[in-house]
Amino acid sequence: MAFSERIARLKSSLIREILAAAQRPEVMSFAGGLPAEPMLPKVDWAEMPASMGQYGMSEGEPALREAIAAEARKLGVPCDASQVLIVSGSQQTLDLASKLFIDPGTEVLLEAPTYLAALQAFQLFGANCLTVPLGAEGPDVAALRQRLETSKPAFAYLIPTFQNPSGVRYTEARRDEVAAALDEFGVTLIEDEPYRELVFDAGAATPLVSRLKKSSWIYTGTVSKTLLPGLRVGFLIATPDLFPHLLRLKQSADLHTNRIGQWQALQWFGTEAYSGHLAELRDFYRIRRDAMQAQLEEHFGDLADWNIPQGGLFFWLTLKNKIDTRSLLDKALKENVAFMPGEPFFTDPDANPGHLRLNFSHVAPERLGEGLRRLAAVIREAQAAA
């Protein structure tokens, strides 16, 4: 059977495989970015018009596009509703952007580490993924500028606010420096912001796209982390030179995003009820983050280093004694614990051993300690045998 040449580059998603293995109720899963089920809001469908069952506009529901544009402008994103495209989760933005920009060998610029499903999408289309090291304040600017001086990436894909997997939030100064470099070298920016609303302190985080003066950009977000991931409703906002192409690609992919999910998202977006829900969500996750921090200090204090995330859903641990954490998965699952190895978040996994991404939103605080104790024991045993 003759498949397309890109199928040779198609990789399975390790995180999806782990989530499938972790479906048993006895498994304590720190693996996925799953919202806490007690915080999934109760939704009402009674008022939904029957017309929502009909085909809709490829761009998305006009009222939802207006609401998203209004909220984006409050953040400083220069846009109007005509630049908003409703997508099937922000993952679809990455697929559309890949189709727009990437041919085999096309260079793209990423943080190291970066979101593994973005890597999966870009590599599927044959991208040559260049990386810049990510520190506590954001990307290494000297390394970024060196990359831009020696190559011409089609775009830079960045997650400046509570980055996945590291949890890093770029400082305001670093945001200015990164935006200035992209402008100087004329590089398009894809800014991914799924965790923006899950903030646990008063720190600032103005989007990078609001600082760009010359470069084209795509800004993408989702309601998956704040409302219901099952709705599969996300959005992208793009500069006018990019938007028509993205719209046509959307039309060829799935005609339009699920209208029923769009209607439900519109009942929340920009409302007082949504603001109240977000406040409750932040308080809930702050408690879970603090509970995990306390348990990590007890069980991982001698094993790993980490920073306390100021938002998002993850802790990013670096083992003091590096081993390939992918080798720990089966042993951890036998102990009814799931976690996400850190290696797949790098373009060269084998060269970057010794990291773990741990989600703190999903496991109840009273089970956290036992799960982390078991995981720490698995790591100690593997290190002793190495």
Side-chain angles (χ1 to χ4, degrees):
M1 188 174 295
F3 293 125
S4 74
E5 54 89 20
R6 77 173 62 91
I7 294 303
R9 297 188 295 270
L10 184 60
K11 300 175 182 176
S12 62
S13 170
L14 180 59
I15 185 62
R16 307 309 302 179
E17 292 175 3
I18 295 171
L19 290 176
Q23 286 302 304
R24 305 193 312 273
E26 65 270 22
V27 173
M28 292 168 278
S29 179
F30 304 116
L34 298 176
E37 291 193 10
M39 295 305 292
L40 298 179
K42 299 291 188 293
V43 293
D44 184 1
W45 300 97
E47 301 299 319
M48 189 183 75
S51 60
M52 283 295 155
Q54 186 54 274
Y55 285 110
M57 296 171 59
S58 297
E59 294 90 335
E61 297 302 305
L64 182 58
R65 297 171 72 207
E66 291 281 0
I68 288 170
E71 291 299 305
R73 286 193 295 271
K74 291 178 185 177
L75 296 175
V77 177
C79 70
D80 59 40
S82 68
Q83 295 170 252
V84 177
L85 179 63
I86 308 301
V87 290
S88 299
S90 54
Q91 184 68 27
Q92 188 177 43
T93 299
L94 306 183
D95 179 70
L96 299 179
S98 297
K99 292 171 179 174
L100 179 58
F101 287 108
I102 299 174
D103 290 315
T106 298
E107 293 179 331
V108 302
L109 187 65
L110 314 170
E111 304 146 325
T114 191
Y115 175 44
L116 58 84
L119 268 180
Q120 185 182 25
F122 302 154
Q123 290 173 338
L124 171 63
F125 285 91
N128 177 18
C129 294
L130 311 175
T131 61
V132 174
L134 187 65
E137 296 185 353
D140 181 319
V141 174
L144 171 66
R145 297 186 70 86
Q146 185 176 24
R147 279 290 195 193
L148 297 178
E149 286 168 358
T150 56
S151 60
K152 185 65 169 75
F155 61 80
Y157 169 75
L158 304 175
I159 315 166
T161 308
F162 313 129
Q163 198 256 10
N164 180 5
S166 70
V168 166
R169 176 176 55 192
Y170 297 14
T171 63
E172 290 291 289
R174 189 60 53 89
R175 288 166 188 258
D176 284 339
E177 293 173 321
V178 171
L182 296 177
D183 265 342
E184 180 180 340
F185 291 93
V187 176
T188 296
L189 170 64
I190 301 176
E191 182 171 10
D192 196 356
E193 294 253 90
Y195 302 102
R196 162 169 286 279
E197 298 294 349
L198 301 183
V199 54
F200 309 137
D201 64 13
T206 309
L208 286 178
V209 298
S210 67
R211 302 159 194 264
L212 294 174
K213 298 178 174 61
K214 300 176 183 176
S215 291
S216 300
W217 51 263
I218 299 170
Y219 180 85
T220 188
T222 181
V223 301
S224 291
K225 307 305 181 187
T226 54
L227 282 176
L228 300 169
L231 292 177
R232 304 312 301 136
V233 172
F235 63 88
L236 68 81
I237 307 171
T239 45
D241 58 326
L242 301 181
F243 187 88
H245 305 294
L246 293 163
L247 174 58
R248 293 186 194 109
L249 287 165
K250 170 71 174 174
Q251 290 168 347
S252 71
D254 60 1
L255 302 184
H256 64 80
T257 299
N258 161 20
R259 293 187 76 195
I260 294 171
Q262 289 187 68
W263 182 86
Q264 188 59 248
L266 183 58
Q267 307 315 298
W268 293 86
F269 218 95
T271 66
E272 287 187 16
Y274 191 43
S275 296
H277 170 66
L278 289 175
E280 292 178 6
L281 203 58
R282 292 173 189 131
D283 289 342
F284 182 92
Y285 286 149
R286 186 185 295 110
I287 290 169
R288 291 207 166 182
R289 177 205 61 179
D290 293 346
M292 178 168 272
Q293 168 63 15
Q295 294 297 333
L296 282 173
E297 287 179 349
E298 179 175 348
H299 298 292
F300 277 80
D302 61 334
L303 284 177
D305 297 306
W306 66 89
N307 292 318
I308 303 174
Q310 301 305 304
L313 297 176
F314 306 112
F315 279 84
W316 178 246
L317 276 62
T318 300
L319 295 177
K320 297 176 181 179
N321 181 8
K322 301 288 181 65
I323 57 172
D324 189 326
T325 63
R326 292 172 294 184
S327 67
L328 307 175
L329 267 177
D330 289 342
K331 296 172 186 174
L333 283 169
K334 287 177 182 176
E335 297 295 327
N336 290 327
V337 179
F339 74 98
M340 188 60 209
E343 291 82 8
F345 294 94
F346 294 90
T347 55
D348 186 354
D350 294 341
N352 292 276
H355 302 277
L356 303 85
R357 192 194 70 177
L358 300 180
N359 166 264
F360 59 80
S361 64
H362 192 58
V363 177
E366 60 270 17
R367 301 183 74 198
L368 268 178
E370 178 59 20
L372 292 176
R373 184 194 68 76
R374 293 183 192 183
L375 181 56
V378 167
I379 294 171
R380 287 193 178 92
E381 181 181 347
Q383 289 176 336

